Amino acid sequence: MFENKKYLLIIFSIIILIGASCSSKKIEPTYIPDDVSGVFCIDLKNVSNKATDFSNAIKVMSGDKYSFVNQVFNAGVDYSKKAYFFIRTSPELSQSYTAGYIPLNNKKKFEEALKKSTKENNINTEIKTKEDWKYIITENQVILMWNEKQVFFLLQGDKSDEEKLLANAQKIIKTPENQSLEGKQNSFKELLAQNFDASYWLNTEFTTPKLPYLSNWGNLESILSLPKMVESNYGLITFEKGEIITKNIVKFKEESFKKYKNIIKTSYDQNLAKSIPLTEPIFITAFALNMKEVEKMLDEWKFLEKLKIQVSFIDMKIEDFFTMISGDIVISGQTYGAKEMQDNDFVVALGLEKKEIFDKFINEVASLGLAKKKKNYFVLNYDDYRVFLIEKGNTLYLTLSADLRDKILNENNKINQKLSTSIGEQSLLFALDYNKLNKFIPWDSIKNSDNTKNMYQNIMKELDTFEMQAAPWGNATQITNFKLKLTNKSRNAVNVLAEIIDKINKDAKERKPNM
């Protein structure tokens, strides 16, 4: 009797263990394939804490065409984790796709929302099961899969039958770790270890197309292969009150970087940037090139010989052009869209390294009738345009505007204080003022038949300024900061961004096709 009870207890224990193991079936981890073109990641916890209405952020990921996805992704989503969206581009549509993983914490709630949404949107599909995933397929192009932990979606570049679509989806979700971004790309693991609201990772494995005409103008194949210098490129995005800040990190391959790094100077001449005679510029950009290194690079690319032919009519050596200017360049504009080109306040400032060589060059051009010498400046005529060349100190200014010419000649160079704060010890500056740009856009002449005008106006109203500032050049790891400032300074940018997206979606729905 006792023996029978012992055996029954053993059998009962085994049944319990088997039942427990079945009910807590291990779900295999999912990875992103290493051959994707790019990844966009959202830290749902960080963003949802800042967002008052996070659903609009989900909308932009899935698009209006599949509006039911918008609804179901707001049910059962685990906002304590990260969501991943990735894309693969290929010349073959069948090899291109957009996909993503979104974490779940309530599978039942998700399924209920899915069933309700497909019914309301008249989507004729049924829920099927494959291994430990459930899935639905719509339009033979989209598959939505889910299990206890996450939702996976795949939008293929072309339509195919259900069997092929399911096979493609399974291939992605079964990506082994040793063939994934997490397993093979240190830069991707490095990105995920940092704090961000959103981030992006770009695949730097570009290939150079073999086109027959490339040999017609120097070694263009070498130029097109420059992206191969980059080992990794990713960005960290944070949403703050009134602004979106992006930190872009590029790592160059050491060997290639050593070869080309001296082409760019450590930083541009700040005094040159501050000498621009524009008090309210729409934009300004400043950078500096090492002209001797540029000459060397052009020679390697077989460009120099062609340039020699272009300037053979002037009694100067091609090498003189690379010692004449310092390589510091500033470009800025204050007006846009004037009826007459000459009325646009636009100026280019170049640093002069050897003024005597420039003086020889401009006098050679004038002797050939290509430029007219005035009292203290030159006028270069090109078709219907008139370009003023003004040499002032160690700077050469080029402008179409007579007003700017006079300001430069009278040394009335007063850049506005707001822009002055952007100029600093950096290798690249680009600043754009949306408010000033908006004033010069000819909105009245833009037709509004498809609501495009409304859409752009709605976007422009929300934008204040944009700045791009690259750290001093010289390290194989280059950091560039982007800052988009919004008009509304009191609210977190993620909420304003969601409203902009919502407006764009509404405008798109209201558009009518041109007849």
Side-chain angles (χ1 to χ4, degrees):
M1 186 74 175
F2 177 77
E3 291 294 324
N4 290 336
K5 286 183 178 179
K6 182 175 72 173
Y7 286 126
L8 286 173
L9 184 61
I10 293 173
I11 294 171
F12 184 71
S13 299
I14 292 173
I15 292 172
I16 291 175
L17 288 172
I18 293 174
S21 64
C22 290
S23 62
S24 58
K25 184 180 178 182
K26 181 182 177 183
I27 297 175
E28 293 298 320
T30 48
Y31 297 103
I32 299 172
D34 68 336
D35 62 350
V36 297
S37 304
V39 180
F40 184 72
C41 175
I42 300 178
D43 188 310
L44 297 176
K45 182 178 181 180
N46 284 355
V47 176
S48 60
N49 284 340
K50 294 179 178 181
T52 54
D53 182 7
F54 190 59
S55 61
N56 277 320
I58 298 296
K59 287 181 182 180
V60 75
M61 300 303 164
S62 51
D64 279 338
K65 184 177 180 182
Y66 305 102
S67 58
F68 76 97
V69 180
N70 297 333
Q71 298 176 39
V72 298
F73 279 177
N74 284 285
V77 173
D78 186 348
Y79 285 101
S80 67
K81 297 179 180 178
K82 294 181 175 70
Y84 300 88
F85 305 89
F86 45 98
I87 185 170
R88 187 178 192 276
T89 57
S90 170
E92 297 182 29
L93 275 178
S94 60
Q95 301 299 314
S96 301
Y97 63 76
T98 300
Y101 293 114
I102 297 178
L104 276 184
N105 61 7
N106 193 322
K107 178 183 175 184
K108 182 179 179 181
K109 186 177 179 181
F110 172 80
E111 283 188 14
E112 289 174 353
L114 177 63
K115 291 175 182 177
K116 180 181 177 182
S117 181
T118 52
K119 183 178 180 180
E120 289 176 351
N121 288 278
N122 296 318
I123 297 173
N124 186 19
T125 186
E126 61 175 304
I127 296 177
K128 299 182 179 180
T129 303
K130 185 72 175 181
E131 298 175 358
D132 59 346
W133 292 83
K134 290 187 177 183
Y135 71 91
I136 62 169
I137 290 177
T138 65
E139 300 184 15
N140 290 327
Q141 196 170 5
V142 181
I143 183 169
L144 187 68
M145 307 179 72
W146 65 96
N147 56 24
E148 296 289 342
K149 287 187 175 183
Q150 63 193 322
V151 177
F152 170 76
F153 74 90
L154 171 66
L155 168 60
Q156 269 195 177
D158 66 345
K159 293 187 177 184
S160 60
D161 57 60
E162 180 177 325
E163 185 177 343
K164 184 179 178 181
L165 190 56
L166 179 59
N168 289 342
Q170 284 191 298
K171 182 181 177 182
I172 294 173
I173 62 178
K174 290 184 176 182
T175 298
E177 186 177 7
N178 62 3
Q179 294 179 23
S180 70
L181 288 184
E182 295 92 328
K184 295 181 70 173
Q185 295 289 348
N186 289 330
S187 60
F188 190 68
K189 289 188 288 187
E190 185 180 284
L191 179 156
L192 294 180
Q194 301 187 57
N195 184 45
F196 55 80
D197 294 336
S199 65
Y200 57 86
W201 181 92
L202 302 176
N203 194 330
T204 58
E205 293 299 318
F206 294 104
T207 56
T208 305
K210 299 293 183 182
L211 302 175
Y213 62 81
L214 292 183
S215 59
N216 294 338
W217 182 262
N219 191 3
L220 281 180
E221 288 193 46
S222 296
I223 300 173
L224 292 175
S225 66
L226 279 180
K228 293 182 180 179
M229 291 174 55
V230 178
E231 183 177 294
S232 65
N233 187 5
Y234 65 85
L236 310 171
I237 304 169
T238 56
F239 300 101
E240 304 296 344
K241 280 190 175 181
E243 61 183 13
I244 302 171
I245 302 169
T246 302
K247 180 180 180 181
N248 188 76
I249 302 167
V250 176
K251 287 188 178 181
F252 295 95
K253 295 177 181 177
E254 288 288 348
E255 186 176 342
S256 300
F257 186 70
K258 287 179 182 178
K259 183 178 180 180
Y260 291 108
K261 76 172 184 177
N262 291 327
I263 292 173
I264 300 174
K265 287 185 178 181
T266 302
S267 58
Y268 60 82
D269 185 348
Q270 295 180 45
N271 291 325
L272 183 69
K274 292 179 180 179
S275 75
I276 297 297
L278 298 174
T279 55
E280 298 291 331
I282 294 174
F283 77 94
I284 185 171
T285 184
F287 56 95
L289 303 174
N290 187 326
M291 297 310 295
K292 292 302 293 181
E293 290 295 323
V294 171
E295 179 188 3
K296 180 181 175 182
M297 181 183 67
L298 293 177
D299 190 31
E300 288 180 3
W301 288 351
K302 311 300 181 186
F303 268 41
L304 218 52
E305 288 299 320
K306 292 183 178 291
L307 288 174
K308 287 179 181 179
I309 296 172
Q310 299 296 322
V311 300
S312 60
F313 64 93
I314 298 177
D315 184 23
M316 290 180 66
K317 296 179 181 179
I318 190 66
E319 292 81 5
D320 291 337
F321 290 92
F322 296 96
T323 57
M324 181 173 70
I325 59 177
S326 67
D328 294 280
I329 303 169
V330 181
I331 305 170
S332 187
Q334 185 162 285
T335 58
Y336 168 79
K339 291 182 179 179
E340 298 295 330
M341 183 65 77
Q342 304 286 157
D343 294 332
N344 287 310
D345 287 343
F346 182 83
V347 64
V348 177
L350 305 175
L352 288 176
E353 186 72 23
K354 293 187 176 181
K355 295 173 62 177
E356 65 275 13
I357 295 179
F358 171 72
D359 291 338
K360 179 183 177 182
F361 164 71
I362 194 63
N363 281 297
E364 280 277 337
V365 172
S367 68
L368 294 170
L370 300 174
K372 291 181 181 179
K373 187 174 182 179
K374 300 294 183 179
K375 183 178 180 181
N376 44 12
Y377 63 91
F378 284 84
V379 180
L380 184 67
N381 291 308
Y382 180 75
D383 291 337
D384 296 330
Y385 302 131
R386 176 191 61 200
V387 182
F388 298 109
L389 284 77
I390 307 106
E391 183 183 344
K392 226 25 180 168
N394 292 322
T395 305
L396 172 65
Y397 298 93
L398 293 84
T399 182
L400 301 172
S401 167
D403 181 53
L404 285 182
R405 174 202 63 192
D406 294 339
K407 285 184 178 181
I408 294 167
L409 289 171
N410 297 325
E411 297 186 352
N412 187 18
N413 301 3
K414 294 181 181 178
I415 200 164
N416 71 333
Q417 186 62 36
K418 183 179 179 181
L419 191 56
S420 293
T421 57
S422 301
I423 296 170
E425 189 69 20
Q426 54 210 5
S427 58
L428 172 66
L429 164 70
F430 178 79
L432 174 66
D433 192 316
Y434 287 103
N435 287 325
K436 295 183 179 66
L437 177 62
N438 195 24
K439 293 177 183 177
F440 291 101
I441 295 177
W443 294 113
D444 292 338
S445 63
I446 298 176
K447 293 183 179 180
N448 196 33
S449 57
D450 60 356
N451 288 313
T452 302
K453 175 180 173 180
N454 286 344
M455 181 180 72
Y456 284 116
Q457 281 184 311
N458 285 332
I459 295 173
M460 290 290 287
K461 288 176 183 177
E462 300 291 348
L463 307 179
D464 184 11
T465 58
F466 171 79
E467 285 184 10
M468 177 174 65
Q469 296 175 310
W473 185 259
N475 296 317
T477 299
Q478 180 66 18
I479 297 174
T480 304
N481 292 305
F482 302 87
K483 187 176 289 186
L484 177 62
K485 295 185 178 181
L486 306 178
T487 305
N488 190 324
K489 310 296 182 188
S490 62
R491 300 177 62 213
N492 189 283
V494 72
N495 296 303
V496 180
L497 187 62
E499 289 174 2
I500 292 174
I501 293 167
D502 192 41
K503 288 177 183 177
I504 292 173
N505 287 336
K506 287 178 180 177
D507 286 339
K509 288 179 180 178
E510 293 173 3
R511 288 182 198 174
K512 296 179 180 179
N514 294 324
M515 301 301 290

